[in-house]
């Protein structure tokens, strides 16, 4: 998911849609408050139907900009896959945001960003709110709140696992990872993305096109993964024939219903990672 600052939509939107698997138009952090009225007009003027999903990140619940952003979304709502709300800290805030979106969308479109210890501690309750499509972390603000050094991921481990667990417990899709702020550190981005994948994230947000190929490479199943998954699904046919609960692959590993589910998810992996 590649961020595009709303003031730069005329020159960047088409390029972003061509390079990434999905786009996030930002009306919040990337836009100076004085520029937001013009940014909302550009959103309405520049957004057309694209070949990739498009989210818009608006301003936090209850702020004056929140209501102005919602008003601006009306004419383009049919073109959006989701609306990201930053700094969500309670189920009540998520409910207020979800209620505000009811008139714009037929189904759940709310993506809640948790950016504080309080928000992470309420992750399961937030994820369970009707109208929430997914939850994710806003790690820059979370680092500041927790006092985690900018170059250290260890202090975010609990928060990352919490948002994955909350998502799955609430029946939501696995979350998207937060951005990696250093656009010149390709190796750091790769290491961080590999770590996110190990926690159960299924992609991440990007702030520069050069990050997209790395993120896509990490989160796309490898040829080895796909071959294994195909072998598992093939072997699973024997379970029905033999009325067995498990069957053994050629490498000696056993296949049971849980493994079959994992293999099926790999083969059905959606191409929305970067």
């Amino acid at each position: 998911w590649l961020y595009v600052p709303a003031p730069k939509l005329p020159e960047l939107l088409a390029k972003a849609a061509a390079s990434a698997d999905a786009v996030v138009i930002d009306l919040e952090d990337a836009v100076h408050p004085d520029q937001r009225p013009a940014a909302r007009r550009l959103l309405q003027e520049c957004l057309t139907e694209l070949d990739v999903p498009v989210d818009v990140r608006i301003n936090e619940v209850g702020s004056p900009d929140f209501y102005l952003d919602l008003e601006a979304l009306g004419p383009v709502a049919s073109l959006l896959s989701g609306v990201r709300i930053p700094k969500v800290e309670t189920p009540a805030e998520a409910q207020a945001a979800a209620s505000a979106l009811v008139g714009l969308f037929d189904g759940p479109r709310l993506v809640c960003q948790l950016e504080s210890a309080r928000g992470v501690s309420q992750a399961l309750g937030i994820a369970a709110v009707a109208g929430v499509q997914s939850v994710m972390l806003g790690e820059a603000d979370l680092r500041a709140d927790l006092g985690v050094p900018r170059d250290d991921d260890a202090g975010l481990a609990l928060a990352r696992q919490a948002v994955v667990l909350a998502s799955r417990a609430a029946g939501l899709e696995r979350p998207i990872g937060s951005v990696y702020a250093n656009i010149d550190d390709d190796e750091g981005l790769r290491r961080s993305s590999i770590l996110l994948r190990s926690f159960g994230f299924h992609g991440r947000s990007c702030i520069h096109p050069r990050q997209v190929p790395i993120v896509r490479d990490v989160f796309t199943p490898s040829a080895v993964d796909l071959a294994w998954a195909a072998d598992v699904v093939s072997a699973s046919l024997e379970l029905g024939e033999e009325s067995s609960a498990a069957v053994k692959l050629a490498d000696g590993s056993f296949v049971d219903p849980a493994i079959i589910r994992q293999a099926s998810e790999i083969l059905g992996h959606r191409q929305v990672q970067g």
Side-chain angles (χ1 to χ4, degrees):
W1 288 84
L2 180 58
Y3 273 102
V4 178
K8 296 185 177 181
L9 284 174
E11 59 263 40
L12 296 183
L13 180 58
K15 294 178 182 178
S19 64
D21 300 312
V23 172
V24 185
I25 298 172
D26 194 9
L27 287 170
E28 192 222 6
D29 279 350
V31 185
H32 189 278
D34 292 343
Q35 293 182 314
R36 285 175 184 157
R40 295 182 190 105
R41 290 193 295 272
L42 284 174
L43 172 68
Q44 295 177 340
E45 293 169 3
C46 297
L47 184 58
T48 58
E49 187 170 354
L50 300 172
D51 293 331
V52 299
V54 178
D55 279 6
V56 174
R57 181 167 70 173
I58 65 176
N59 286 275
E60 63 187 287
V61 178
S63 67
D65 281 312
F66 171 77
Y67 299 102
L68 294 171
D69 291 344
L70 284 179
E71 184 178 352
L73 294 185
V76 297
S78 64
L79 303 174
L80 300 179
S81 58
V83 178
R84 294 191 181 189
I85 308 288
K87 301 176 176 63
V88 178
E89 293 195 320
T90 66
E93 290 178 353
Q95 183 60 67
S99 297
L101 296 179
V102 166
L104 296 177
F105 304 102
D106 293 333
R109 290 291 187 273
L110 179 62
V111 181
C112 293
Q113 292 190 201
L114 315 183
E115 306 185 29
S116 66
R118 187 183 184 200
V120 173
S121 72
Q122 298 290 314
L124 181 56
I126 292 168
V129 170
V132 171
Q133 181 188 73
S134 64
V135 295
M136 61 181 297
L137 296 176
E139 291 186 354
D141 285 87
L142 184 60
R143 284 179 187 274
D145 192 38
L146 299 178
V148 175
R150 61 181 177 83
D151 57 352
D152 184 3
D153 279 357
L156 297 176
L158 181 59
R160 288 171 169 174
Q161 194 67 80
V163 79
V164 173
L165 290 171
S167 297
R168 300 307 297 134
L172 305 181
E173 63 186 22
R174 292 184 291 125
I176 293 291
S178 189
V179 301
Y180 188 80
N182 189 340
I183 63 173
D184 294 323
D185 184 8
D186 292 349
E187 285 307 308
L189 171 63
R190 182 172 295 275
R191 288 193 303 270
S192 175
S193 297
I194 291 171
L195 183 60
L196 285 179
R197 185 181 179 189
S198 75
F199 274 111
F201 290 83
H202 82 94
R204 82 179 308 169
S205 300
C206 300
I207 54 174
H208 194 280
R210 70 174 285 172
Q211 296 179 320
V212 171
I214 297 172
V215 170
R216 183 180 288 135
D217 181 58
V218 170
F219 286 96
T220 299
S222 67
V224 172
D225 292 333
L226 292 170
W228 172 84
D231 286 346
V232 168
V233 172
S234 177
S236 71
L237 299 177
E238 299 179 23
L239 295 180
E241 294 174 1
E242 300 179 2
S243 298
S244 173
V247 65
K248 189 171 72 172
L249 294 178
D251 65 4
S253 60
F254 274 88
V255 174
D256 62 14
I259 299 299
I260 295 168
R261 176 185 174 189
Q262 184 179 22
S264 298
E265 288 177 352
I266 290 174
L267 293 176
H269 185 79
R270 293 178 301 162
Q271 191 67 18
V272 183
Q273 298 93 35

